[in-house]
Amino acid sequence: MLQVAFIRENKETVLKGLAKRNFKNAEEIVNQTILADEQRRATQTELDAVLAESNKLSKDIGIFFKSGEREKAEILKLKTAQLKDKSKELSEKLQEKATELQNLLYLIPNIPNEIVPAGNSDEDNITVFEAGKIPALYDGALPHWELAKKYDIIDFELGNKITGAGFPVYKGKGARLQRALINYFLDKNTKAGYQEVQVPYMVNEASAYGTGQLPDKEGQMYHDAQDNLYLIPTAEVPVTNIFRDVILKESDFPICKTAYTPCFRREAGSYGAHVRGLNRLHQFDKVEIVRIEHPTKSYEALEKMLEHVKDILNELKLPYRILRLCGGDLGFTSALTYDFEVFSTAQNRWLEISSVSNFETFQANRLKLRFKNANGKTELAHTLNGSSLALPRVLAGLLENYQTSEGIKIPEVLIPYCGFDIIN
RNA sequence: GGAGAAUUGGCAGAGUGGUCGAAUGCGGCAGUCUUGAAAACUGUUGAGGGUCACACCUCCGGGGGUUCGAAUCCCUCAUUCUCCGCCA
């Protein structure tokens, strides 16, 4: 959520940023927001004046009662009755205006960073880096869902029976490979200075609002109505919410956390070939990295995160590229996002395996995640996160790119974690 | 799930209807002293709104109510603790 004061003072910047996202009715919504804010403040001021007077009268009444001047007190009491009506009316209006403002603010996405390219869709994303060799596969190379069946390492049908589509069962070496990847990622992340945390897989409403899943992505999360809890779509939600309503010291920066969690996404509206196999699941595993940074250091931190993810992919020897997302493809809460994509050789397409973003103060404002700056003032911190990494598509990439006529080879760095070097 | 107790500032802990945003202690910060540090002493130290800055307003787990006036009384929800039940 943007800060109202920022919108008020930087209207042109906001409009320019929203235009880059192709955000509809931007000017109208921004104007409404500014108006609602003015009305809210005016109402607040009016209410404060009434309350101030009524507070004063109450104190006087107390004094009169103490000194036994009951009659004087009774006269003042009558006066307060009117003020009470007035203040009730005003506080209702204030509540109304505050809600109106809040709802408008929820509609406005983050302002893209300057270097975010304009554009409407993923076609306008810019490839900023590419590495790794796309292997020449042997004749008869298969897409990963065929490989999964051939070697009996992932059973999609079994998952269908137990739960439904998008909830696969990993078996034998497939299960072990999953566990190996999780451990390998966590080890890499902790070595890079990220503290490992284990967090709840369900979150309450306040947390879902804090990181921006609510109110607009309601339909994408599994929801338990009985206890009003949400299954997490990403570890970002519980991990970042560790810092909800927290005021840090400047010396606390940088804060680096990593967590492995399963992720649950309803993926309403997805269909077709692109959701085959591991490409898109309702439940998948992911290791996430989260950073809380001083505002002046957040872009430096974003670079570090990119280098870190690159390092992992280089070690896995997978062909990948990095995209800078365009305005139209940028997530609601993000100011700048880089997507990592691994090449799926048998499908002949790129698969997103990591998304690394700087949210600047957008999440922090909702979370009330602040720090005391050098002048002793509280200031919003910057939050960042990235996948390091999401399992299924990495697995898809590994299976497809490492397949040989003898079986699927295991990348060298994973062999100690797996305890085997080939799936055959 | 049942019964009882509790929830106050970074922490501990007073405060049971009136000038209480809240005693006191610890911690933090600044200073005095010291070659430096410790100790001791002095001062300072919550958040939000509002203002050029003050004034002023709001916040004592969340929400609602009683009252001229609520941290204090009532209702409700949440959480924590103790006992019982169930249980990996």
Side-chain angles (χ1 to χ4, degrees):
Chain A
M1 188 166 69
L2 296 177
Q3 297 171 90
V4 213
F6 179 83
I7 298 175
R8 203 196 307 153
E9 286 154 27
N10 303 277
K11 190 176 161 186
E12 291 314 311
T13 314
V14 170
L15 287 176
K16 233 171 94 186
L18 294 179
K20 211 187 239 178
R21 283 181 175 271
N22 308 308
F23 183 72
K24 290 192 185 89
N25 308 322
E27 186 148 17
E28 193 188 330
I29 290 175
V30 167
N31 284 337
Q32 278 177 15
T33 305
I34 293 171
L35 181 68
D37 176 49
E38 274 169 17
Q39 291 175 338
R40 200 219 89 227
R41 276 151 60 218
T43 311
Q44 174 86 257
T45 307
E46 216 181 322
L47 174 63
D48 285 357
V50 174
L51 288 176
E53 198 181 343
S54 133
N55 286 344
K56 196 175 167 298
L57 288 175
S58 290
K59 277 185 187 172
D60 290 346
I61 289 170
I63 292 166
F64 284 136
F65 269 122
K66 268 196 176 159
S67 62
E69 298 171 86
R70 289 201 90 91
E71 284 185 13
K72 285 188 180 176
E74 291 300 333
I75 292 167
L76 290 188
K77 264 192 175 184
L78 291 175
K79 270 177 112 175
T80 56
Q82 281 178 49
L83 290 175
K84 214 178 175 185
D85 288 345
K86 185 80 185 163
S87 78
K88 188 163 188 180
E89 185 189 311
L90 282 170
S91 57
E92 272 164 19
K93 188 175 167 193
L94 179 65
Q95 190 57 250
E96 213 174 274
K97 287 294 161 194
T99 307
E100 188 185 327
L101 177 62
Q102 186 65 249
N103 289 337
L104 283 162
L105 286 172
Y106 279 144
L107 294 177
I108 303 174
N110 203 354
I111 300 308
N113 182 284
E114 269 188 23
I115 65 168
V116 169
N120 297 312
S121 70
D122 54 8
E123 284 170 23
D124 300 310
N125 296 336
I126 294 176
T127 304
V128 294
F129 186 84
E130 210 163 334
K133 253 176 76 182
I134 295 170
L137 297 182
Y138 69 105
D139 266 0
L142 299 168
H144 69 266
W145 53 86
E146 300 283 356
L147 293 167
K149 188 173 266 181
K150 180 173 170 186
Y151 297 108
D152 195 25
I153 51 173
I154 309 171
D155 196 329
F156 293 98
E157 284 75 21
L158 193 52
N160 288 348
K161 179 178 107 176
I162 300 170
T163 307
F167 292 90
V169 174
Y170 299 87
K171 291 154 74 169
K173 283 184 172 174
R176 181 66 187 260
L177 181 54
Q178 282 277 104
R179 187 151 56 86
L181 282 167
I182 292 165
N183 285 334
Y184 165 65
F185 292 152
L186 283 172
D187 283 353
K188 287 294 287 184
N189 296 347
T190 49
K191 265 181 212 145
Y194 294 87
Q195 185 200 40
E196 184 178 347
V197 287
Q198 285 197 13
V199 289
Y201 301 156
M202 296 188 97
V203 294
N204 58 27
E205 223 175 27
S207 293
Y209 271 100
T211 34
Q213 277 66 35
L214 291 179
D216 62 316
K217 290 185 200 67
E218 184 121 43
Q220 290 297 336
M221 287 186 291
Y222 289 97
H223 180 227
D224 166 30
Q226 199 160 10
D227 292 312
N228 197 21
L229 296 174
Y230 294 87
L231 277 169
I232 57 170
T234 159
E236 164 194 347
V237 182
V239 175
T240 313
N241 271 282
I242 292 173
F243 300 96
R244 174 153 48 84
D245 289 318
V246 166
I247 299 179
L248 298 162
K249 289 180 295 213
E250 227 169 13
S251 58
D252 292 333
F253 294 124
I255 290 173
C256 307
K257 304 277 182 194
T258 184
Y260 153 71
T261 70
C263 302
F264 304 90
R265 298 187 185 180
R266 296 189 59 233
E267 302 291 2
S270 302
Y271 58 91
H274 283 187
V275 306
R276 262 194 107 165
L278 295 170
N279 290 347
R280 195 174 289 274
L281 300 170
H282 289 307
Q283 178 184 317
F284 64 94
D285 293 302
K286 181 159 63 66
V287 177
E288 184 80 357
I289 49 178
V290 170
R291 292 178 79 116
I292 316 289
E293 291 281 348
H294 191 282
T296 58
K297 294 280 172 62
S298 67
Y299 280 97
E300 206 175 291
L302 185 67
E303 288 302 318
K304 281 184 194 158
M305 292 167 84
L306 292 182
E307 288 308 312
H308 177 66
V309 176
K310 274 159 82 171
D311 177 42
I312 292 176
L313 289 168
N314 290 338
E315 279 196 2
L316 290 174
K317 298 195 170 79
L318 284 170
Y320 70 97
R321 64 179 189 183
I322 304 176
L323 305 175
R324 184 185 295 147
L325 296 194
C326 73
D329 210 22
L330 198 61
F332 188 84
T333 53
S334 175
L336 179 61
T337 294
Y338 290 97
D339 272 6
F340 282 74
E341 294 185 332
V342 70
F343 193 71
S344 160
T345 309
Q347 296 181 78
N348 194 33
R349 66 189 195 96
W350 293 93
L351 299 176
E352 182 195 329
I353 47 163
S354 175
S355 194
V356 184
S357 304
N358 187 351
F359 304 96
E360 299 189 1
T361 60
F362 195 86
Q363 288 183 331
N365 189 33
R366 281 203 195 175
L367 292 161
K368 297 209 190 71
L369 164 49
R370 295 160 294 177
F371 68 99
K372 277 229 186 303
N373 68 20
N375 302 322
K377 289 247 163 116
T378 49
E379 193 181 328
L380 293 172
H382 280 195
T383 63
L384 304 95
N385 68 50
S387 343
S388 177
L389 283 157
L391 280 269
R393 294 179 193 154
V394 170
L395 187 59
L398 286 179
L399 296 180
E400 293 183 13
N401 287 303
Y402 276 87
Q403 61 181 309
T404 68
S405 49
E406 287 86 47
I408 297 157
K409 294 203 165 147
I410 300 298
E412 223 169 296
V413 288
L414 291 179
I415 294 173
Y417 289 93
C418 282
F420 52 83
D421 61 8
I422 193 162
I423 297 173
N424 50 17

